[in-house]
Amino acid sequence: MPSLPDVMTPDVERLAAQAPRGAPTASHIDPHLAGPLVEFLMRTGDNALILGHRVSQWCGHSPALEEDIALANQALDLVGQCQLWLGLAGEVEGRGRSADHLAYRRDAAAFRNVLLVELPNGDFGQTLMRQFLFDAFHIELLRALTRSADPRVAEIAAKAQKEVAYHLERSADLVIRLGDGTDESRARMQAALTYLFPYTGEMMHDDAVDRALADAGIAPLPSSLRADWDRTVREVLAEATLTHPGQTYQHGIAGQGGGKRGVHTEHLGFILAEMQFLQRAYPDATW
Amino acid sequence: MYAQLVKSEGAKSREEMTPEEIAFQERIDRGEKIEPKEWMPEGYRKTLIRQIGQHAHSEIVGQLPEGNWITRAPTLERKQILLAKVQDEAGHGLYLYSAAETLGVSRDELLAALHSGKMKYSSIFNYPTLNWADIGAVGWLVDGAAIMNQVPLQRTSFGPYSRAMIRICKEESFHQRQGYDIMMKMCAGTPEQKAMAQDALNRFWYPALMMFGPSDKDSVHSAQSMAWKIKINTNDELRQKFVDQTVPQARYLGLTVPDENLTWNEDKGGHDFSEPDWSEFFEVIAGNGPCNAERLNARVKAWDDGAWFREGLMAHAGKAEARRRAAQVAAE
Ligand SMILES: [Fe+2]
Ligand SMILES: [Fe+2]
C-alpha cells in the first residue's frame, strides 16, 4: 500500500482503516500508526501554515501599528509551528520529504487543514473572530498533545502551547472589547461569527485517523475537546454581548467534503498559487 | 535617508542667540543629552518633530515593499525571517512615534500629516519589489544605508531619539545580514537566480544612493542641524562611506554595480562614482515615483478601514471605566 500522503484522495477514512495491514515504516513508531500519524501531523501543520499565511496578509495593512506587530508575530509563531509539525511528518513518513517540500510541493487536495483557516480575511473583525474560534480549539488540542505517548509530538506541543496561549488571550480579549464596543463594532463581530461558526464543527469531528491515534494515546479524540472549546466560546461571546449562533449546519463533516480529507474551499488554490509560486516556477533553485 | 530634506528651523549666529540659547548650545557642545522636560529652543523641537516623524513614517511605509513578498517567500525559513524583519520595522515605527510624542505631538497628529501628504517618508519606499532578490537587495542596500545614518545618530543630542536609535541599530544589522544572505544564495544559484540578483542591484543602486539626500555642503539647514547634533554627518560623507562599503560586497557576490564611472581613487582613499539622477529624486519626493500613490493609499486605506476597530476599542474602554465607577459608587 502506498503511504497516505501520496494518495490524492479524500478517502482517508478507508485508508486509515487499512493502515494496520502494512503501513509505511518509520523509526520510533509502531509501523501501523505511521500512516495516521503522518496524516495527523499534516493536519496540524497545515492548519498552522494556512492560518499563518492568512494572518501575514495583514502586515502593514492593519488598523493600528500595535496590530501590525502582533499579527506579524502571530504569523511568525504559526509558520514556525508548521515547520516543526511538517518536519516531523516528513521524518515519520520516511520518504525524504522536508517541511519545505511538504509546504511548497503539494497541491490543494493533499493539504489537510480545516476549512476555517483558509477562509478569506474579510474585515479585521472577521480575521479576529476566525482567530479566536481557532485559538480556542488549538489551545485544547496542544494541551492534550503535551501528554502524547509520542515524545516528539509532546515536545512540539509544549513549545507551541505557550505561543497559542498568548494568541487566545489576545483574540478573546479583542472579541470581547469589539463585541461590547460600538454598535458598528458589535454588528461586524456578530456578522463574522455568523459567517464563521458553520466552519467550526470540522475541528472537533472525529474520523478513523483520529480514532487510531487516540487509541494509541498519541493524540486526543477531537470530539473530546469540544466541551472545553464550547465553554471558552460561550464565556467569551457572553462577555462580548454577542449572540451564540446555536446549532447550525456544519461544513466539512457530511459526505466527502472537508479540509481534513483534502476537499477544500475555492480559496486554498489561490493561497497555494501565491505561496508556492517561486518553488514551482524555479524547481531547481535553492533559496 | 529615512529623514531626507528635513528643514531645520532658526539657524542663528552666536550674536543673535539669547543667553538661554547659548547655554543650550553649550550643553550640546559638551555632549550632554537633552531630555523632553528640559528647556529647548522652539526650532530644535520643531526640527526634531519633523525628522523623527519622517523617520517613523519611513519605518511603517517601509513594511509595504517587503510585505509584498511575505506570502511568496520561497521557504518557510525565509518567510519567518522576513516576517521577523517586517515586525521589527513596525516596532521601530512605534519607538520613534513614542520619541516624537515626548516633544508634544501625538502619533495620530503625525499620521494625519502623513496621510494628507504634508509629511514625507523616505523616497526609497516608493520603488517596487519585483522579484525575490529585491528582498535581498532591500536588506543589503536599504537597511545598509539606514545603518550608515543611524549608527552616528545613536549619539544625537535628544535623549529619547538617541535611545530609540540604540535599540533600532541592534536590529538593523540583522536586517542587513539577512538581505546579504539572500543575495549570496541567489548569486550562487541558477542562472535565473543570478539574473534576478543583478536586476535587483541595477534597480536599487541609485535609489539607495538617493537615500542620503542631495549634497548638503552649502545648506544652512544642515549646518544648524549639525550644530544641534540631530544630524551628525553630511549627506556626501555618508554616501561616500556607503559606496566604499558596498562596492566590495557587490564584487564578492559577482555582481556589477551599474555605474561605468565607478573607480577607486587612490588619492582620496575612496571610490569615485556617478551621482544619482537628482531630478528623479525630486520627482519621487514630490509624489511622482513608481509607487507613491500605492504606498500612501495603502496606509490611508488601512487607517480608514480600521476606524471602526479603533472606535470600538475606545467605546469599550469608556464602558469599562463607567462600570468600574458604578461598582465603586455601589460599594460605598
Ligand atoms: Fe527599521
Ligand atoms: Fe530595517
Side-chain angles (χ1 to χ4, degrees), chain A residues 35-48:
Chain A
L37 180 55
V38 169
E39 188 70 20
F40 171 78
L41 292 169
M42 284 190 191
R43 291 175 180 180
T44 312
D46 290 346
N47 281 342

Side-chain angles (χ1 to χ4, degrees), chain B residues 304-326:
Chain B
D304 291 349
D305 288 356
W308 72 270
F309 170 86
R310 296 186 304 273
E311 283 157 16
L313 296 188
M314 298 277 287
H316 180 81
K319 285 182 189 179
E321 174 63 16
R323 278 195 288 262
R324 200 185 56 77
R325 287 222 185 118

Side-chain angles (χ1 to χ4, degrees), chain B residues 2 55 59 85 88-90 92-93 143 146 150 168 172 175:
Chain B
Y2 281 14
H55 191 160
E59 300 284 356
K85 179 181 189 291
D88 282 352
E89 304 302 4
H92 297 172
D143 289 88
Q150 290 170 11
I168 287 174
E172 292 299 353
H175 296 174

Side-chain angles (χ1 to χ4, degrees), chain A residues 7 26 31 43 68 95 111 116-117 132 164 166 177 184 193 199 209 225-227 235 257 261:
Chain A
V7 184
R43 291 175 180 180
D68 276 339
R95 291 172 49 214
F111 269 75
L116 178 70
V117 298
F132 166 64
V164 170
Y166 180 64
R177 288 156 71 191
E184 182 181 4
L193 179 62
Y199 292 91
V209 169
L225 307 174
R226 176 175 282 285
E235 279 172 13
R261 286 180 282 190

Side-chain angles (χ1 to χ4, degrees), chain B residues 253-297:
Chain B
L253 292 169
L255 295 178
T256 308
V257 173
D259 180 359
E260 287 175 0
N261 300 317
L262 185 74
T263 49
W264 177 256
N265 180 332
E266 194 59 54
D267 292 344
K268 75 172 183 186
H271 291 85
D272 290 331
F273 57 94
S274 302
E275 289 278 308
D277 177 354
W278 291 112
S279 62
E280 176 181 320
F281 171 78
F282 287 107
E283 287 295 336
V284 174
I285 291 285
N288 301 320
C291 298
N292 290 62
E294 273 169 83
R295 299 292 186 244
L296 193 56
N297 288 347

Side-chain angles (χ1 to χ4, degrees), chain A residues 60 66 83 104 274 279 287, chain B residues 71 73-74 78 80 107 299:
Chain A
E66 287 80 356
Q83 199 173 26
Y104 287 95
E274 190 174 334
Q279 291 257 359
W287 305 96
Chain B
T71 55
R78 291 284 177 211
Q80 290 173 75
R107 195 203 305 180
R299 290 309 310 173

